[in-house]
Amino acid sequence: MSRIGNNPVAIPEGVTVDVKDGVVTVKGKLGELTQEYSEVTIKVEEGDILVTRPSDSVNHKAKHGLYRSLMFNMIEGVSKGWTKELELVGVGYRASNQGQKLDLALGFSHNIVIDLAPEVKVETISEKGKNPIVKLTSYDKQLVGQVAAKIRSFRKPEPYKGKGIKFVGEELRRKAGKSA
């Protein structure tokens, strides 16, 4: 059984944590995040955040670990930030960006143009002989993951040749083609 909720979350230099009325606010050099919470107690003591639960019921145990993980992700985000990298595998697949607009050529009859949230910074890397890479960076882990999943959903990797949009480092389950 997981005991992740019992571990304290260390607060690094330059990060301030404010807890009041069921809302935690975390401010750092990269931005500010807020999170509502319920059924657990969150205290800031001696440079650590402690999450405690009132009983050992299943619901309290689940929320105990959940809110501890959310606090860790918020603190990590406002101090260091989160990054997701997507790789476009396929002949003619291209990516380019102008500010917050991401332009994807994925083999459809038209390009897909996405307007990204201002919190997410986008960067496209295109080197000759290598697959294009889309790099997403933000202080909000949930938002980065959501945007990356949306981009990936336009052309998921297929199991035979592996063409599509995949996360960098993702292992794909490949299938054998027709038997001769």
Side-chain angles (χ1 to χ4, degrees), residues 9-89:
V9 180
I11 303 171
E13 289 289 321
V15 176
T16 59
V17 179
D18 187 33
V19 181
K20 62 168 88 150
D21 300 331
V23 177
V24 177
T25 306
V26 178
K27 292 180 188 170
K29 63 181 179 189
L30 297 179
E32 177 181 342
L33 292 169
T34 59
Q35 175 67 49
E36 294 181 5
Y37 68 93
S38 63
E39 299 184 28
V40 294
T41 309
I42 297 178
K43 292 183 212 140
V44 179
E45 293 178 1
E46 301 167 13
D48 287 336
I49 297 176
L50 298 173
V51 182
T52 56
R53 62 180 183 243
S55 73
D56 281 346
S57 72
V58 175
N59 195 28
H60 288 158
K61 281 183 173 183
K63 293 208 173 160
H64 188 213
L66 167 76
Y67 287 121
R68 190 266 177 205
S69 294
L70 289 175
M71 296 302 118
F72 176 79
N73 291 343
M74 289 165 65
I75 287 174
E76 195 79 7
V78 296
S79 60
K80 297 178 187 167
W82 296 101
T83 302
K84 288 265 188 192
E85 290 183 341
L86 298 156
E87 184 178 1
L88 281 63
V89 181

Side-chain angles (χ1 to χ4, degrees), residues 93-152:
Y93 287 11
R94 291 185 308 277
S96 63
N97 71 305
Q98 293 174 339
Q100 291 300 98
K101 282 192 187 293
L102 179 63
D103 189 359
L104 300 170
L106 300 174
F108 296 116
S109 61
H110 59 284
N111 286 1
I112 298 171
V113 180
I114 312 162
D115 256 339
L116 298 175
E119 295 90 16
V120 179
K121 304 290 177 253
V122 65
E123 179 186 348
T124 54
I125 303 162
S126 299
E127 293 179 24
K128 190 171 175 82
K130 293 187 178 177
N131 293 327
I133 291 177
V134 176
K135 190 173 183 181
L136 303 168
T137 310
S138 179
Y139 56 86
D140 190 346
K141 185 176 186 180
Q142 182 180 349
L143 186 63
V144 167
Q146 194 172 349
V147 170
K150 179 69 175 170
I151 293 169
R152 186 178 187 268

